[in-house]
Amino acid sequence: MSLWVAQTPLPWAEPLAFAAAFASSDVALLYSGLQEHYSGGFSYLFTHPIETIAGDDWAELPALDKTSNGMPQWVGYLGYGMRDAGLRGTASPITLPDFSWTRYAQLYRFDHTKKIITHYVARDAIVPAPVGETNLVETLAPRTNQSTIRGLTSNFTRAAYESVVAETIAQIHAGNFYQANITRKFYGTFETKPASWNIFVALCAASPAPYSAYIRHGSQAILSSSPECFLSIDAHGEMTTRPIKGSARRSDDEVRDIAIRETLKTSHKNHAENLMIVDLMRNDLSRVSVPQTVTVVEQSALYSYRTIHHLISTIRAQKLPQLSAYEAVRACFPAGSMTGAPKIAAMRWCTAKENVERGIYSGAIGWFGGGNTCDLSVVIRTLILDGNHFEFQVGGGIVADSTPEDEWLETITKARGILAALGLTDDDLARL
């Protein structure tokens, strides 16, 4: 028996316009803001929370995929620190539980292809009043943050970051690991508490992504524009992951941008980054897959986004039927693109050098559903708000032929969408 009961279909409205009617309350929007051949068919809006499970231990999560159908049931995130209790540094300025998953009373599913909104209500929920057509926002212009930013700082200056990158390269040459993902955290305060929904709309405009997400709980909000699929498991047990490794900044000049694309496509360094993580993810998947089903479908394919070009690979495998989606996710967590290889050695090195805990950054956002299904993105290009405080984090994979200056520049490139949403510029980060 399904846990969702379908209601009368609603007239089509774009997800951001529709969701604006709920944005002042606790909601979750998983928004396909950029359609690709592999994703972007559906967006999901969840309203009226029923219950939330939050904490720091994997043991509470198995029940999340025990419902009776393949629809999304639990929405939330897994924080990076869940993988290893040793991944603890200085507490992040904004403190969130290592995981938080919420079940909601209402679900609106947006079919972007058919232009249909299907409204569902949970069987055990008191049905709230439906949203009337007159309450929907027909147009929603992107708006940057309307509250002045009072302070911006980082756990690394440019000199300190480049120094750690140089140390990491030396460790790679010494044979201690092959790749490590060194990241920088930026944090600051606003003069007054900002409207988190307005910032999310601006982020979606500045950095459209297939796995955008807005999750609000009280004074805290998670705003994500992730392009990366961590793990998707369908009702037939097919698992898919799409690691990103290899990046280049886009140019406003079309001729220059084409040249940048070609350079990235032929870059030995960037392809090496990607290949290492593909091998790591193949190994992770093999532990929870039917033998000989792990397949690299696409290797280092070039995808272009508003502010950045990426090399993305696609790996598929058939989940062992006796394992749950939760068990498969746990075996592969966190995404290899956010750690390096070998995974544990790289993670411990990164933790020691970054010092400040990553929090939910490098973890996963998305949903678990019935029938052992899930769809989770990697927590990158993500802004965390708590009252008038904010933080975000960026980084890149360091390999043997990386250069400290290029890696520093990559952190600026990856922050461009968030900077635009906050009304900041590249120079604001470069001065830190």
Side-chain angles (χ1 to χ4, degrees):
M1 180 176 69
S2 171
L3 296 183
W4 291 113
V5 179
Q7 308 295 297
T8 303
L10 297 172
W12 176 255
E14 291 298 324
L16 289 181
F18 187 98
F22 300 92
S24 61
S25 57
D26 287 359
V27 299
L29 174 65
L30 302 179
Y31 175 47
S32 295
L34 182 67
Q35 280 70 57
E36 298 282 9
H37 67 86
Y38 58 82
S39 102
F42 295 94
S43 293
Y44 300 93
L45 172 66
F46 303 83
T47 71
H48 302 84
I50 296 175
E51 61 177 313
T52 296
I53 300 172
D56 306 297
D57 195 308
W58 281 102
E60 296 177 82
L61 291 177
L64 297 184
D65 54 18
K66 299 301 183 185
T67 52
S68 58
N69 68 0
M71 291 282 288
Q73 299 290 347
W74 292 89
V75 185
Y77 68 84
L78 300 170
Y80 178 75
M82 290 189 69
R83 181 61 181 83
D84 188 333
L87 301 177
R88 302 297 184 195
T90 302
S92 186
I94 296 179
T95 302
L96 295 173
D98 278 339
F99 72 81
S100 179
W101 296 90
T102 300
R103 191 166 65 88
Y104 293 83
Q106 291 196 106
L107 163 62
Y108 299 89
R109 185 178 71 171
F110 301 81
D111 185 326
H112 289 270
T113 302
K114 296 180 179 179
K115 303 298 182 185
I116 295 172
I117 302 175
T118 308
H119 177 206
Y120 299 90
V121 174
R123 285 188 180 275
D124 61 344
I126 297 174
V127 181
V131 176
E133 292 181 54
T134 57
N135 292 331
L136 301 183
V137 180
E138 295 302 326
T139 60
L140 192 62
R143 287 170 285 178
T144 56
N145 167 47
Q146 300 300 307
S147 178
T148 303
I149 291 175
R150 188 169 60 204
L152 178 67
T153 188
S154 174
N155 63 325
F156 283 116
T157 62
R158 173 176 181 172
Y161 186 78
E162 291 187 358
S163 176
V164 167
V165 170
E167 286 184 66
T168 303
I169 294 169
Q171 290 287 313
I172 292 170
H173 285 298
N176 293 325
F177 39 78
Y178 309 112
Q179 181 177 164
N181 199 75
I182 300 293
T183 70
R184 303 176 70 192
K185 187 185 288 287
F186 298 93
Y187 39 94
T189 56
F190 302 100
E191 289 284 356
T192 58
K193 181 181 177 181
S196 59
W197 177 255
N198 290 351
I199 298 177
F200 178 66
V201 172
L203 179 62
C204 291
S207 182
Y211 303 104
S212 294
Y214 176 82
I215 301 177
R216 171 177 166 157
H217 288 297
S219 65
Q220 296 182 326
I222 300 168
L223 290 59
S224 183
S225 60
S226 176
E228 184 170 2
C229 169
F230 166 50
L231 192 62
S232 176
I233 306 176
D234 68 17
H236 304 290
E238 183 177 78
M239 301 184 292
T240 303
T241 184
R242 290 187 172 85
I244 294 176
K245 268 292 165 246
S247 307
R249 183 189 183 103
R250 295 209 65 171
S251 172
D252 294 332
D253 179 87
E254 185 176 354
V255 174
R256 173 64 180 149
D257 197 55
I258 291 172
I260 291 171
R261 283 171 53 94
E262 291 305 309
T263 299
L264 179 59
K265 285 169 65 175
T266 58
S267 166
H268 172 77
K269 180 260 185 185
N270 284 285
H271 280 273
E273 269 191 67
N274 195 287
L275 181 59
M276 289 177 196
I277 301 308
V278 166
D279 286 344
L280 187 157
M281 294 302 295
R282 288 175 61 213
N283 181 67
D284 284 351
L285 285 172
S286 69
R287 292 181 287 142
V288 291
S289 300
V290 175
Q292 300 182 8
T293 63
V294 179
T295 305
V296 179
V297 179
E298 195 172 39
Q299 175 72 61
S300 298
L302 193 145
Y303 287 80
S304 297
Y305 296 90
R306 181 71 56 82
T307 63
I308 196 168
H309 300 294
H310 279 311
L311 296 181
I312 305 179
S313 294
T314 302
I315 310 161
R316 292 200 178 100
Q318 188 66 32
K319 180 178 64 65
L320 287 167
Q322 68 269 30
L323 297 182
S324 67
Y326 157 80
E327 289 168 315
V329 167
R330 183 172 180 177
C332 297
F333 188 84
S337 59
M338 302 308 298
T339 64
K343 183 178 273 189
I344 300 302
M347 290 172 75
R348 289 179 175 163
W349 171 261
C350 293
T351 297
K353 293 302 171 181
E354 293 170 2
N355 190 33
V356 176
E357 293 177 12
R358 292 188 183 182
I360 75 166
Y361 176 76
S362 302
I365 287 178
W367 59 263
F368 279 95
N372 287 314
T373 57
C374 68
D375 195 11
L376 302 169
S377 66
V378 180
V379 184
I380 54 175
R381 320 294 150 78
T382 298
L383 179 67
I384 312 299
L385 302 179
D386 185 3
N388 69 330
H389 299 276
F390 69 89
E391 70 176 47
F392 61 94
Q393 202 155 342
V394 290
I398 314 303
V399 294
D401 51 357
S402 293
T403 65
E405 181 179 10
D406 285 346
E407 296 302 330
W408 173 80
L409 288 170
E410 186 170 321
T411 68
I412 305 297
T413 295
K414 289 178 176 176
R416 290 178 77 194
I418 290 175
L419 293 176
L422 291 173
L424 298 171
T425 68
D426 291 9
D427 289 342
D428 291 313
L429 293 196
R431 283 192 291 266
L432 296 179

